[in-house]
Amino acid sequence: MKTRILILLLLLISSTAISQTILTALTSPGSWDDGPSAGVGIENQEGLLYYGAEAYAFPQLNGIDYAHAIGRIGLNIKLDHWGRFKIIGGVRVGLIYRGEHLNYALIGAETGIQVEIFDNLYGIITASRDSRSDSKYYSSQDSITVNSVWVKIGIKL
């Protein structure tokens, strides 16, 4: 699984040579009561469009390791002339690794705000609503909906 995520991230890095690319570290503060979790992402911004990938790990979530690799695409709209503030919104699609299985789907939507703190340093807060099929691993439900808030720190490459 780690190899697949690394290959996905490397492909995205190679395709982003002519536009603004942001590398991010992320976490979901609302889940800290259940243990540590973190991830990395890469995002390319071209005018109004953004797209990227994210890898996230949550060891021992409810006693079972959790990780996901997702692709993200959407719109980012500048709120000011200099582009220091942007509203973002788009879709998320990916695969979930749960209990040694990488065959669970994730699909969702996200919205948030990106703020340029200093030149080439960004703070990003997003909220997502995802439908996940990994509930099949630990319950009889075909899917569950999970709402999350994500805090990201990004640097421009």
Side-chain angles (χ1 to χ4, degrees):
M1 183 195 127
K2 293 176 186 175
T3 303
R4 292 178 188 164
I5 293 170
L6 182 60
I7 290 170
L8 179 62
L9 289 173
L10 289 174
L11 286 173
L12 279 168
I13 289 170
S14 67
S15 71
T16 60
I18 60 171
S19 58
Q20 178 170 304
T21 303
I22 299 173
L23 181 65
T24 58
L26 62 118
T27 189
S28 178
S31 64
W32 289 348
D33 288 344
D34 294 323
S37 61
V40 295
I42 189 160
E43 181 176 300
N44 190 43
Q45 297 179 351
E46 295 183 21
L48 288 175
L49 181 69
Y50 76 86
Y51 56 91
E54 173 185 298
Y56 180 74
F58 199 144
Q60 293 298 303
L61 174 61
N62 299 320
I64 307 165
D65 289 341
Y66 171 94
H68 72 230
I70 63 169
R72 304 167 45 247
I73 188 167
L75 300 176
N76 65 58
I77 300 168
K78 292 179 184 179
L79 294 179
D80 62 351
H81 178 71
W82 300 277
R84 291 205 180 274
F85 296 93
K86 293 182 180 182
I87 291 180
I88 61 171
V91 295
R92 304 158 42 94
V93 178
L95 293 174
I96 296 171
Y97 168 84
R98 194 74 191 251
E100 300 183 18
H101 299 282
L102 181 63
N103 58 347
Y104 301 108
L106 176 148
I107 186 165
E110 65 183 10
T111 187
I113 188 162
Q114 173 183 304
V115 178
E116 185 176 1
I117 301 167
F118 301 109
D119 286 344
N120 301 327
L121 180 66
Y122 300 89
I124 306 159
I125 298 175
T126 60
S128 66
R129 182 172 180 91
D130 299 323
S131 178
R132 298 181 359 198
S133 65
D134 64 315
S135 59
K136 295 175 185 178
Y137 187 77
Y138 57 86
S139 76
S140 61
Q141 297 179 26
D142 285 339
S143 67
I144 60 170
T145 299
V146 176
N147 299 313
S148 301
V149 173
W150 303 94
V151 176
K152 305 175 185 182
I153 297 293
I155 57 169
K156 183 177 175 183
L157 298 180

